[in-house]
Every structure is written in C-alpha cells, then in structure tokens.
Amino acid sequence: MKKLLLPILLLVLGACTTQPKTDYVTDAAAYVDPFIGTGGHGHTFPGATVPFGMVQFSPDTRMNDWDGCSGYHTTDHTILGFSTTHLSGTGCSDYGDFRFMPIVGEVKLDKGDEENTTSGYRSAFQHENEDAKAGYYSVLLDDYKTKVELTTGDRVGMMRCTFPQGAEAHLFLDMVEGVNDEYVYESWLQVENEKAISGFRRTRDWANEQYLYFYAEFSKPIVSCSMFENGVRLGEEPRAQGDRVKAYFDFDMEDGQPVVMRIALSAVDVEGARNNLKAELAENDFDFDALKQKAYDKWNKELKRYEVSDPNESNKTVFYTALYHTMIAPNLFSDADGRYRAHDLQVYKSERPVYTVFSLWDTFRSLHPLFSLMQRERTLDFINTFINKYETNKHHLLPIWELAANETYCMIGNHAIPVIADAYFASIRDFDTEKALEAMVNSSKMDFRGMGAYMKYGYIPIEVEGEAVSKTLEYAYDDWCVARMAEDMGKAEIAKEFYARAQAYKNIYNPENQFFQGRRNGGWMHPFDPAQVNFTLTEANSYQYGFFVPQDVNGHIDLMGGWNAYEAKLDALFNAPSNLTGREQPDITGLIGQYAHGNEPSHNTVYMYNFVGEPTKTQYYVKKVMDDFYTDRRDGYAGNEDCGQMSAWGVLSAID
C-alpha cells in the first residue's frame, strides 16, 4: 500500500548518509533555521511555535499579497506587529489574529506607509537584528529601540518586550488588522484587571466564519489603557466591542525590567483560553526563558526521531529544517478540557485532541505517509478529526481543505480518503473503520464538484466542470483507495464498484499523443498543447499531470505501449523546453524540463522510472531535485512549502 500510495525509493542522498552511530547529531533542533522558506515563494513564517501547536506567534511584515500568505516575507524591512496565528507555506492567506505591537512615544492607530514608518505604528527593522530558532524568535524594532522576543507552548505564547529604561511604553493591540480584506463580523476587548485582558474575533476570509478568543496576563500592571472603536476613543468603561476595535496599554518602565505577556487561545470561549493558560503555566509564571527551553526541548524530541550523520553542516540544516516544517501543521484545535468547535460551528467535547489546517490536496502525497511512519498517534487523531468533520459538515463530506472549523473547498479531490487508507494499511486502525468507510463512500458519491458527471460518464467533461482532467485523475485514485480498504474489510460489492471507477483515468487518455486530455461533447479538446496551463487542469499542464496514475502504474504503462515507450515519455518530460504556455500560474516553479517540483502534481514523477527498470534515472533526478530545490537559503524551497508537503518529499527522499 505504501509503495503504491506514493512510490518512494528510499535513497542515500546528501542529507542523510550511513555513518557510525557515534557520528549522529545529538542536538537536532540546533540545525533548524526557521528563515528557510521566508524568501522566494516559500510562504513560511519565522516565528515561534511548537510541534502541531495551536499558537504560531510570529512577526507580520505584510498581509496583502500572494507572497504575504504567512504574514512575513524576507524582502520586507518593516514590521506591523506580532500576531498569534499564522499559516505555513500556503497559497492562500488567513489568520494573523490579535496583533500586538510594542510602541514608544506617540501611538498611531493605523499601520501607516511602508516607505514612511512614522506615518503609522509599524517599525523598521534590520534582518541582522533578527534571530530565529526552534520555538523562538526575536527582533529589534528600530523606531522604538525595543527588543521583542516570542516563544510558545501547545496552546500558549509569551512575548517579552524590552523597552528602553524610562521610556513612554505602550503595548498596542489591533483587533481589526489580519489578512488583507478580512471582514470582522464582531469583536470585543475586555480589561479583566490591572494585569489581564481578554478578547474575541469572529472573522471572514479564507475561513468563512472563524471564532477565536484569547486571555492574556502581564508581568507588570497596566498603568492606563485607551480603547477605540472606529478611531473614536471610548470612555472609562473596561470593555470595547464592535468591528473596528483597537487599544493600547501603558506600562511603567522606570525599573527597566521587560514587560512579559503570556497569552492563550481558544476557538470555544474565553474560559477555554483561561483554562489553557492554567493548564500549561503556573500562576504568575512569566519565566520566558523556561518556556523557550521547553519549546526547544519539544522540537528536539520530535526531530531526533531521525538520526542523521553528515560532515556537511548545510545538509543537516536543510534536512532538519524540512523535518521541522513537516510538524508546523496540522494545528491543535481542541482546548485542554477537550472542548472544540466543529464544522457546524457548535461546541463539542472530545477525549482525544482535535486538529485543524488540513491542506489535503498537497499533503496526502508525502506528508501523511510520513506521519504514518513517525506520528502514528497523531495520525489516529487526524483520522478521528476527519470522521468528526464528516459528521458535522453540512454536506456530509470528509474534509477537503479544512481551516478553523470551516471547509474552504479549496483545491480538488477527496484526499482525506487516501490518508485514511494509508493509515489503515500501516496498521493504524484504532478508529471506527466502519464509519470511516461510510464517510469515504458517501464523499465519493455526492453530486458535488463534478462528481455527478464523473459517475455518469466515467470522466468529467470539460464543458461541465472546471479542472475536469485533474479532477478525473484524482477522483480515480481516491476511488482505488476506497476499493482497497473496502476489500480488506470484506466489503466485496463496494470494492468491485470502486475498482471499476478507479479505471476512469483511461477515459481521458488520448493514445494519439499519450497525454491525458480534456474531452468536450465526447470528443477531444482541440487545439492541444501539453505545455499549456488552462482551465482543464489544476495548477499544472498536461506534462505535469501526465504520470498521475499511482493506483495502476502497470495499466498506464500498457496504455503507452510498454516499458520503453513509458521511459521515453518520462525522458521527454525531463528534457522538454521549460516554457509554459496559456495562463500565468505562479505556482509552477522548480522546473526541470516540464517537471515542476515547486507544485504538487509532479511530485511522484521522478520515482516512476523505477517501474520500468531504470532506478538510476530516478536516483539522478531525485538528487538533482534535492541539490537544486532544497537549500539553506531563505529562498530554499522551489515553491510554496504547502503545510509540510514540500518538506516531507525532501525528508522521504533523503531517508536511508
């Protein structure tokens, strides 16, 4: 099952070589560089988080374009503030909740102009004054001469602000600013006492309706506070509410001691956030360095699951940073008491942790198979989360691209299905397999996103549904996964039905050109250019989807005329000119010929040479991809890191 879900030949490449055990890395977290991926189109963030944690405390330098999806890009030179939630490597933006910004002197309510930091609350900074490690980030804000440090726990974060001694110090909170064009349905902010505040935001962006609460405490008393709604300063009431809430809190800095804020999040309520803080930190525990060390130790524990030996320090940095990025998401979503918000936005309670952020079109390919090896307990939690989301989703579907209790319906396929099947065949079965199979079957029969046409015609006609070629190929693979699991569970009729459906790829295979091609009114779409990026495919062209038949590689080889013809087709892919035609698609990067490593549809292709007796070609291209597209630079990924998928491919390809 593992071999067919993602044909991986475990190779000895630069990042992992066989050496005596005494040479193995003992401090794996020391090799993590969170800045890798913050340049180019990697879309990662450099801030603090712990493995699969609820909090991602990180600086915001931009939230207003494609390369600002994580809130940070390394080409920027001003910081807007530090918010508690971020997405890693995605191609769409959301989060950026509860942005805090330490300010000295006059407070401006708007973020201002990047070219003139005095026009708003943002501050200039220098990259040489930044530091980032596993579970830690720091920076010096030039305009305020203030050092900011961030660290986190599972559901908590800490922010340490070292203001100049005697400064007129404020901590600004922007409850409006998040991602670009985010709509705030409602928000409120409450001063609980002289050392604590709480707040809530219900917002719409990529997630249509996100609920998030916080509870925060300070190491110093608040001397005074100023609250604003729509830019108007409110009176002395300790509460502000509306859709445009901002505030700042004043602190006495005569003693020169830093202001430490500890904060916890919850998607349920403020009490959940308060309890999350109590569950992780003792009362009045503002020991930033202790939490920082705990975060580092958590990373070390996870990273040391793989022992690496290599005399090349850069290779170890690349490998362990990739492994680090595989564990940023999915994110913990249930509170310490087990409560969580489900797809119907109602609150439930679970005995096991519930997670969010499932970029399944990306991560079913390499990340979740990696989890089946190294995160078996969490994989069980992920599958239980899938079943819960199926039961509370209004369409009664397994998740597609789930975010903050919302289904975004972004991307294509039903790729929770192969994740469940892969876990099942990896002997992770302590979940309700009958309910899981029911969810897999029902999700595969819903007349939704082209599925009705797929079931009627055996493929999706391009006049019926966009991305028809890609959807046909990916639904066929998902169907095979349903069939395999049903067969093993003794469900012969289901298995027979879905094995037949899994052959749908043959219905869009054009033997004249040996490509998968869109069909219109029963005939082939013309004119046809395999290098063209068009509406029939998902973030790719026909070259890049040309080998996506992981469920029936031998059948695909036979269609092409045998081993020699299949090998020749692979050679043509890698040796073709790297010119794309059709619409502009910034995701298609990392090109070797027409192979595009910077996006997911190509990710199985370099391994296909193994199926026609040419493993040396697989080895050559895997090494070339590793050498060219995984580096220790800030632009060290070929494309979006995509919630761990890009990194997981590198990790699996480096394992001995």
Side-chain angles (χ1 to χ4, degrees):
M1 181 70 171
K2 184 80 64 184
K3 182 178 180 182
L4 288 174
L5 286 174
L6 180 67
I8 290 290
L9 176 65
L10 300 181
L11 303 174
V12 181
L13 298 174
C16 187
T17 58
T18 304
Q19 295 288 338
K21 192 172 180 64
T22 54
D23 293 339
Y24 286 144
V25 168
T26 57
D27 188 5
Y31 287 95
V32 171
D33 181 358
F35 288 116
I36 294 176
T38 62
H41 302 308
H43 296 185
T44 64
F45 63 83
T49 191
V50 296
F52 308 100
M54 182 181 288
V55 181
Q56 308 86 39
F57 217 158
S58 189
D60 298 329
T61 63
R62 67 167 88 170
M63 301 292 279
N64 58 356
D65 64 14
W66 188 59
D67 279 331
C69 289
S70 73
Y72 181 100
H73 198 271
T74 195
T75 58
D76 296 332
H77 298 284
T78 64
I79 285 177
L80 302 167
F82 306 86
S83 56
T84 59
T85 60
H86 293 83
L87 295 172
S88 179
T90 59
C92 291
S93 58
D94 207 318
Y95 282 9
D97 298 285
F98 308 126
R99 179 185 296 160
F100 293 88
M101 182 64 165
I103 292 173
V104 171
E106 181 186 1
V107 178
K108 299 179 178 68
L109 298 183
D110 295 321
K111 59 187 177 183
D113 187 341
E114 185 174 4
E115 301 304 319
N116 177 17
T117 59
T118 61
S119 66
Y121 62 71
R122 73 170 76 219
S123 173
F125 75 103
Q126 311 300 316
H127 287 297
E128 54 265 34
N129 292 329
E130 284 185 295
D131 187 22
K133 297 180 174 65
Y136 173 77
Y137 172 86
S138 72
V139 67
L140 178 66
L141 301 177
D142 291 350
D143 291 344
Y144 304 126
K145 303 297 185 290
T146 297
K147 183 177 182 180
V148 178
E149 298 171 274
L150 309 173
T151 193
T152 65
D154 289 332
R155 299 177 177 88
V156 306
M158 272 196 192
M159 179 181 192
R160 181 163 64 188
C161 303
T162 305
F163 294 94
Q165 185 169 1
E168 183 186 345
H170 321 278
L171 187 61
F172 181 74
L173 171 56
D174 196 330
M175 300 280 285
V176 181
E177 281 291 334
V179 297
N180 190 46
D181 297 326
E182 179 180 58
Y183 181 77
V184 181
Y185 293 111
E186 60 177 325
S187 66
W188 55 256
L189 177 64
Q190 175 79 38
V191 177
E192 301 273 349
N193 56 55
E194 68 173 5
K195 297 183 72 173
I197 61 175
S198 61
F200 164 68
R201 281 175 23 115
R202 184 168 67 92
T203 58
R204 181 187 72 221
D205 195 77
W206 193 11
N208 192 52
E209 192 167 3
Q210 180 198 357
Y211 288 72
L212 196 64
Y213 300 81
F214 81 86
Y215 177 80
E217 295 177 345
F218 301 105
S219 60
K220 289 186 171 188
I222 300 168
V223 175
S224 62
C225 72
S226 302
M227 294 189 180
F228 300 83
E229 169 59 30
N230 284 320
V232 177
R233 185 168 182 169
L234 305 180
E236 299 301 318
E237 290 296 319
R239 184 180 177 90
Q241 61 185 45
D243 60 358
R244 312 293 293 176
V245 173
K246 301 183 182 185
Y248 62 88
F249 308 94
D250 306 326
F251 296 92
D252 185 345
M253 295 305 302
E254 287 303 318
D255 62 4
Q257 295 300 306
V259 175
V260 178
M261 177 183 72
R262 58 185 214 163
I263 185 170
L265 303 181
S266 170
V268 175
D269 53 26
V270 167
E271 192 60 29
R274 194 193 318 267
N275 289 338
N276 289 340
L277 193 66
K278 290 179 180 178
E280 291 192 54
L281 296 171
E283 187 174 0
N284 294 320
D285 179 4
F286 291 92
D287 191 336
F288 181 94
D289 292 322
L291 186 61
K292 172 186 170 184
Q293 186 62 48
K294 287 180 181 178
Y296 187 88
D297 292 343
K298 285 182 178 181
W299 279 114
N300 231 349
K301 179 182 177 181
E302 296 292 344
L303 295 167
K304 286 171 66 176
R305 291 172 184 262
Y306 284 126
E307 295 178 316
V308 171
S309 176
D310 194 310
N312 187 315
E313 294 295 289
S314 175
N315 285 343
K316 288 184 281 194
T317 295
V318 169
F319 180 84
Y320 278 119
T321 303
L323 193 56
Y324 165 86
H325 279 134
T326 67
M327 293 180 279
I328 302 294
N331 301 128
L332 190 61
F333 198 60
S334 53
D335 288 345
D337 62 6
R339 293 185 303 153
Y340 66 97
R341 195 171 296 275
H343 256 175
D344 58 7
L345 300 181
Q346 300 304 303
V347 175
Y348 299 86
K349 191 169 184 177
S350 173
E351 293 183 1
R352 296 188 68 97
V354 173
Y355 288 82
T356 188
V357 185
F358 289 99
S359 180
L360 291 165
W361 182 79
D362 306 292
T363 59
F364 86 92
R365 304 166 194 268
S366 299
L367 182 66
H368 282 283
L370 178 65
F371 287 161
S372 291
L373 296 174
M374 64 174 283
Q375 295 289 341
R376 296 175 67 82
E377 279 299 309
R378 283 195 175 94
T379 292
L380 180 59
D381 294 334
F382 299 156
I383 293 172
N384 283 322
T385 297
F386 292 168
I387 293 171
N388 165 269
K389 294 184 185 302
Y390 162 74
E391 292 180 318
T392 58
N393 174 274
K394 65 181 179 180
H395 294 297
H396 229 43
L397 291 168
L398 284 166
I400 295 166
W401 213 125
E402 188 276 343
L403 173 63
N406 288 249
E407 180 52 70
T408 68
Y409 299 109
C410 187
M411 308 310 296
I412 66 171
N414 285 321
H415 296 317
I417 290 172
V419 174
I420 296 169
D422 181 71
Y424 178 87
F425 284 99
S427 299
I428 302 171
R429 300 187 180 185
D430 192 18
F431 58 91
D432 188 340
T433 55
E434 294 288 338
K435 178 62 71 173
L437 184 62
E438 173 198 311
M440 293 160 75
V441 171
N442 287 351
S443 295
S444 303
K445 291 189 173 183
M446 186 72 66
D447 187 2
F448 186 63
R449 293 159 57 93
M451 184 61 74
Y454 173 81
M455 292 187 291
K456 180 178 180 179
Y457 300 109
Y459 68 96
I460 302 176
I462 63 173
E463 70 270 21
V464 172
E465 181 83 6
E467 303 171 281
V469 172
S470 298
K471 287 178 180 177
T472 297
L473 292 172
E474 296 196 16
Y475 284 152
Y477 170 63
D478 295 335
D479 287 344
W480 178 82
C481 294
V482 175
R484 284 284 289 117
M485 188 162 158
E487 180 181 44
D488 196 77
M489 292 173 62
K491 312 289 187 180
E493 289 303 312
I494 295 175
K496 180 180 178 181
E497 176 187 1
F498 279 85
Y499 275 133
R501 286 174 46 149
Q503 295 296 301
Y505 76 93
K506 294 178 179 177
N507 297 328
I508 58 169
Y509 176 80
N510 187 343
E512 292 186 6
N513 56 36
Q514 297 184 319
F515 281 103
F516 297 115
Q517 188 171 339
R519 295 182 64 175
R520 179 188 286 121
N521 298 321
W524 298 111
M525 173 185 171
H526 288 293
F528 176 72
D529 174 6
Q532 184 183 74
V533 181
N534 59 45
F535 74 98
T536 71
L537 296 145
T538 302
E539 298 183 0
N541 61 24
S542 293
Y543 273 114
Q544 289 142 22
Y545 261 101
F547 296 89
F548 190 79
V549 192
Q551 75 274 22
D552 190 18
V553 176
N554 290 332
H556 190 203
I557 291 171
D558 290 342
L559 282 180
M560 284 197 183
W563 282 24
N564 291 337
Y566 193 84
E567 181 186 352
K569 195 71 170 179
L570 282 167
D571 290 342
L573 168 76
F574 286 104
N575 292 295
S578 296
N579 299 321
L580 305 176
T581 63
R583 72 186 183 198
E584 182 180 353
Q585 187 73 51
D587 302 83
I588 303 176
T589 54
L591 290 165
I592 304 173
Q594 284 289 328
Y595 172 84
H597 193 73
N599 209 14
E600 279 65 30
S602 291
H603 274 192
N604 66 307
T605 309
V606 294
Y607 286 96
M608 305 316 293
Y609 280 111
N610 291 320
F611 289 88
V612 291
E614 291 292 338
T616 55
K617 288 187 177 181
T618 283
Q619 293 169 24
Y620 170 81
Y621 283 114
V622 170
K623 188 175 190 307
K624 181 172 179 57
V625 169
M626 296 282 282
D627 289 346
D628 292 354
F629 303 136
Y630 292 86
T631 75
D632 61 358
R633 301 190 304 266
R634 290 195 177 202
D635 63 351
Y637 289 110
N640 300 168
E641 203 280 325
D642 283 318
C643 292
Q645 165 59 26
M646 198 67 65
S647 294
W649 191 99
V651 168
L652 284 169
S653 296
I655 295 173
D656 177 8

